Amino acid sequence: MPLTDYLSGLVWFGLGMGALATATTLVTRRRLAGLPGEARALAIFLVATTVLFLMYVIPLALGVLTRATPVVTGLLLCLAVWALLPHAPAEAAVDVPPAPRSGAASWVVASVAVAAAAIALLAYTGAVALLPFGQVDVVNFHLPIVARWIQTGSLWQIDQFLVYQAQGNYPHTGDLVHLAAVLPWRDEFAVRYVALPFVAATGVAVHALARELGAPAASSMTYGAVVVTLPTVIVSNLDFELTDAIMYATFATGALFLARHVRSRGRTDLVLAGLGLGLAFGVKWYAVSAVGVAVLVWIVGMVFARRPWRRVLWDAARLMAIVAALGGIWLVRNWVESGNPVFPVRVRVFGTTVFDAPFDVFRHLAGFSLFDYADNPSILRRYAWPAFNHTLGLAWLVLVGGCLLAVGGSLGRAWRRVDRRVAGVVACAVLIAIAYAATPYSALGGKGVPAQIDANTRYVVPALLLAAAATAWAAGRLGRAGILIDLLGLAAVVDGIRRAHGPIEAKHVAAAVLALGVGTVVVWWLRNRTGRRTHGRRLVHATAAAA
């Protein structure tokens, strides 16, 4: 790329990010002032991602996308927020769930886990930064669809490049984020760096969800590190640059604010939950089922908590309206362009075809689900077991065991409020895992030979995110024995890094350590400059923030 092209692209990128930062700052000052700590940081992340989505989807929906129109849209959003969004009084604070204190050993484990995860993520990003894209999905539809948007300036077309498939009808919110990195330069080099902040946000969101449930701080940090070092998370997002990390981060953050809403009943938490789940809904088809399960479990939980039914219905309507507003654009596009919102799936109600679709040859030949082999354990043992171990490492076994401990702990405490929420999180994780097993292509391959199960184990990651928060909570209920759960989490981190090591060399690790060291010193200095005390626990937080 010539230097002049790079510099001009940098100007357009800077203008867009400036508009995004301004709109996000206005919303933060007017609506998010009452949120504490990590919840505030994640709320800012959600607002910024929503603004980014709107900056690009509005010009695409109007058919006027150019390098300038997202900047103009961002400025108009700033004006709209400034003129129409009033300052809101801080919502009444509610009691934070009690959490066991973390011992010194747990803090050591957490420090090692977070540092190892941060170094691995940065080193992996550096190692693949200059490699060409080669993953089949990326080169055959993710990046080509972004290119077609730039060529036509519109999303009102179905761009399908692989025969007998329907990736052109996928939800494409994740590709919009890639578009934001491609359009300023009309070059894909910056896509290599898109997933890293979303992977990091996923770990922070899992940590915050565990803390919201009442988990110890150190255990929460350890299991935040576990989820970002799942081999499928590292490889699929930092190497292949698929869009799943965007779904993971927004889904986990939406789940956090749903859990907060159960406790606080605050409107801000409900709106933020809607933003997170709505963004996640529009990234992948498997996100549709995950978001649906989360909303259903939340509604059932509110009913069991004996909340007024009118309030439950009103809150559910508001939540689903926000989800539909953010994630539904792709269903509308499919309906307009293909005559079926969920193309290529034929929709029938009581034997009547509501939305038709042609015979799906590829699904018939290779789109089997794990449930299709439920009566043949030998096939699952031969194909599924090694695929899970390869792509999910030790972590999936640790998290399944942690969920079982969490169920025992929540049922054994007479269903107090905080324990009901833990049971709800576990139930949500189990139902999402069941939905994964029933999803077509979860056992990808020919009939009786699902040799590519490992390609789509990323569909079950949303369940593992919730399971990680529940496992951290369980560690705090075991007293001194909780350190064993923390050590298993550290082992899962090391195993995940080992399985996803890819092309990392010593120079990449050294560069990551240097970057983390400089970032940690800067954050530590800024915290001291503001007069805040800094101790070991804050240093771990600073390290995570620098990562």
Side-chain angles (χ1 to χ4, degrees):
M1 180 190 302
L3 179 61
T4 54
D5 290 352
Y6 174 77
L7 293 177
S8 65
L10 193 62
V11 170
W12 285 115
F13 181 78
L15 291 173
M17 292 303 101
L20 183 150
T22 302
T24 303
T25 301
L26 288 171
V27 174
T28 300
R29 290 181 176 178
R30 297 190 178 196
R31 291 287 176 165
L32 307 180
L35 291 174
E38 291 146 348
R40 179 181 170 87
L42 290 166
I44 294 171
F45 156 75
L46 273 185
V47 172
T49 307
T50 303
V51 172
L52 182 69
F53 169 78
L54 294 175
M55 285 173 57
Y56 284 86
V57 78
I58 291 174
L60 273 175
L62 296 177
V64 296
L65 180 71
T66 65
R67 288 200 291 185
T69 49
V71 177
V72 174
T73 305
L75 294 175
L76 292 176
L77 289 173
C78 291
L79 290 175
V81 172
W82 178 75
L84 302 177
L85 189 69
H87 288 274
E91 295 179 357
V94 293
D95 294 335
V96 177
R101 293 177 61 87
S102 297
S106 292
W107 278 115
V108 171
V109 171
S111 301
V112 174
V114 170
I119 292 169
L121 296 182
L122 284 178
Y124 203 101
T125 301
V128 303
L130 300 181
L131 297 180
F133 293 105
Q135 202 274 341
V136 60
D137 290 354
V138 174
V139 300
N140 283 299
F141 64 87
H142 282 300
L143 290 179
I145 283 173
V146 170
R148 286 291 292 153
W149 286 342
I150 295 174
Q151 288 175 341
T152 66
S154 172
L155 60 74
W156 300 107
Q157 72 261 336
I158 302 297
D159 299 307
Q160 181 58 41
F161 304 99
L162 298 176
V163 296
Y164 300 124
Q165 299 183 52
Q167 291 93 353
N169 294 91
Y170 277 12
H172 288 128
T173 296
D175 292 317
L176 274 180
V177 179
H178 283 179
L179 174 66
V182 173
L183 182 61
W185 294 276
R186 294 174 179 168
D187 190 282
E188 80 282 0
F189 78 94
V191 172
R192 278 293 184 190
Y193 310 100
V194 168
L196 183 60
F198 287 93
V199 172
T202 301
V204 176
V206 169
H207 163 72
L209 176 58
R211 293 289 287 155
E212 174 63 26
L213 297 177
S219 300
S220 301
M221 296 190 70
T222 297
Y223 279 88
V226 167
V227 297
V228 301
T229 52
L230 288 167
T232 189
V233 171
I234 294 179
V235 176
S236 295
N237 297 287
L238 299 184
D239 186 358
F240 298 164
E241 287 300 334
L242 297 175
T243 58
D244 299 76
I246 299 163
M247 186 269 168
Y248 301 154
T250 52
F251 176 80
T253 308
L256 162 68
F257 286 105
L258 267 189
R260 279 181 53 88
H261 178 265
V262 173
R263 176 172 61 90
S264 70
R265 309 187 190 186
R267 182 172 60 181
T268 298
D269 288 324
L270 186 67
V271 171
L272 290 170
L275 294 181
L277 297 180
L279 291 168
F281 184 95
V283 176
K284 293 284 185 180
W285 280 128
Y286 71 85
V288 174
S289 58
V291 170
V293 167
V295 173
L296 178 63
V297 170
W298 171 74
I299 292 173
V300 172
M302 298 287 279
V303 171
F304 272 100
R306 297 183 180 179
R307 300 286 172 85
W309 65 269
R310 290 183 180 177
R311 179 65 182 270
V312 172
L313 289 178
W314 176 240
D315 285 346
R318 286 196 293 182
L319 179 68
M320 289 187 286
I322 297 172
V323 171
L326 288 180
I329 181 65
W330 310 114
L331 303 185
V332 175
R333 186 272 316 270
N334 289 348
W335 198 348
V336 171
E337 298 296 328
S338 300
N340 182 344
V342 292
F343 188 91
V345 176
R346 180 178 298 163
V347 179
R348 291 182 176 179
V349 178
F350 301 116
T352 301
T353 299
V354 179
F355 297 110
D356 203 0
F359 178 70
D360 193 336
V361 176
F362 194 77
R363 179 175 296 187
H364 175 71
L365 295 176
F368 298 96
S369 71
L370 291 174
F371 273 174
D372 290 328
Y373 299 107
D375 60 347
N376 196 334
S378 63
I379 289 182
L380 295 178
R381 184 170 58 251
R382 181 178 179 183
Y383 293 100
W385 179 260
F388 290 164
N389 293 334
H390 175 65
T391 59
L392 303 176
L394 175 64
W396 79 278
L397 295 173
V398 173
L399 297 178
V400 168
C403 276
L404 294 176
L405 288 174
V407 169
S410 61
L411 293 179
R413 289 177 173 267
W415 289 86
R416 294 187 306 188
R417 181 177 62 181
V418 65
D419 300 327
R420 282 199 300 267
R421 292 196 304 166
V422 173
V425 167
V426 173
C428 191
V430 171
L431 290 174
I432 291 174
I434 292 173
Y436 155 69
T439 299
Y441 302 106
S442 59
L444 179 61
K447 187 175 183 180
V449 190
Q452 291 184 291
I453 289 177
D454 56 350
N456 293 328
T457 52
R458 51 201 166 94
Y459 296 177
V460 79
V461 170
L464 299 181
L465 302 180
L466 302 178
T471 302
W473 178 87
R477 275 30 187 201
L478 294 178
R480 293 183 178 180
I483 186 62
L484 298 177
I485 304 298
D486 294 338
L487 288 171
L488 285 173
L490 177 59
V493 169
V494 174
D495 180 68
I497 294 172
R498 178 183 66 84
R499 291 178 183 273
H501 70 278
I504 295 178
E505 301 175 11
K507 62 183 180 181
H508 303 127
V509 176
V513 171
L514 177 62
L516 279 175
V518 172
T520 301
V521 170
V522 170
V523 173
W524 177 83
W525 178 76
L526 290 175
R527 284 167 102 53
N528 271 347
R529 190 180 180 189
T530 58
R532 296 181 179 180
R533 295 187 343 175
T534 302
H535 45 76
R537 180 166 46 183
R538 291 193 181 277
L539 189 59
V540 176
H541 282 276
T543 304

